[in-house]
Amino acid sequence: VLGAVSLSANETTGPNSAELDVLSRYIGSWDITFDSDDPFSTGSRVGQWVLGGAYLEQTGEFKARFVRSDLTVKTLTTYDSEAKRYKRWSFASNGSAFESTGTWDSKTRTMTWVSEQFGPLSKRTILTKTTEDFRDDGTISVSKVSTDSGREVGRSIEIRTPRQ
């Protein structure tokens, strides 16, 4: 029992490095609005430290606009000190999953993520670049651009507003 209590207490411990501290910007509850062309209309996210502060966990829900159903997501993010890159694993209730690598630009307060995902139907690899701009007012502006062999095949813009 004592081991379970100490493990539970460590779950909310914050980051133990300057690189992980960058991820603290994602901690909290967020309301999300998507641009009018996005398959989703609104959503929410909650970010918290897990596993002793080694990972940032984000869970979220997106309301369907142009797709069959709403979507729930879970994302784990950490910093890989050997590769000197951030790593993010994302899982969705529709069965999709992907891994991204990220870089932080402290001057512009921008996190840039890159992922590759093989499309089983198209038999092609889609490259997605996601740019997350942390604004002075506390919002996060997120821009995603997906390309297939250098040709743009998708674009999305979302605004994450912290809940008060």
Side-chain angles (χ1 to χ4, degrees):
V1 173
L2 183 57
V5 170
S6 68
L7 178 61
S8 177
N10 288 337
E11 290 296 315
T12 58
T13 302
N16 55 14
S17 71
E19 292 84 6
L20 282 175
D21 190 49
V22 167
L23 300 177
S24 293
R25 290 164 171 77
Y26 298 100
I27 299 296
S29 298
W30 306 84
D31 290 319
I32 303 171
T33 55
F34 295 90
D35 65 10
S36 60
D37 294 332
D38 198 276
F40 299 99
S41 58
T42 61
S44 64
R45 267 189 191 266
V46 174
Q48 63 184 359
W49 290 112
V50 296
L51 301 173
Y55 291 85
L56 167 75
E57 177 187 66
Q58 294 176 292
T59 56
E61 297 179 357
F62 305 137
K63 300 296 178 195
R65 179 185 296 158
F66 303 131
V67 289
R68 273 187 241 166
S69 63
D70 296 346
L71 191 70
T72 57
V73 296
K74 181 177 290 269
T75 302
L76 292 173
T77 308
T78 194
Y79 183 75
D80 182 338
S81 57
E82 288 183 29
K84 297 196 183 325
R85 295 249 185 235
Y86 290 88
K87 289 193 174 181
R88 178 181 275 178
W89 298 269
S90 300
F91 308 92
S93 58
N94 65 3
S96 65
F98 60 94
E99 182 177 344
S100 304
T101 58
T103 55
W104 170 248
D105 184 331
S106 60
K107 291 178 185 160
T108 62
R109 294 178 14 186
T110 301
M111 183 69 83
T112 303
W113 297 97
V114 176
S115 67
E116 290 184 359
Q117 188 169 13
F118 182 75
L121 295 176
S122 68
K123 306 280 191 241
R124 301 179 77 107
T125 299
I126 305 298
L127 176 71
T128 300
K129 181 179 177 182
T130 303
T131 305
E132 299 172 333
D133 178 29
F134 293 84
R135 298 180 176 171
D136 289 336
D137 64 359
T139 62
I140 306 171
S141 173
V142 181
S143 171
K144 297 178 188 177
V145 177
S146 298
T147 57
D148 176 358
S149 301
R151 182 178 61 85
E152 186 176 307
V153 293
R155 179 177 291 271
S156 173
I157 296 174
E158 66 185 70
I159 301 294
R160 299 179 190 164
T161 306
R163 272 194 210 139
Q164 301 302 331

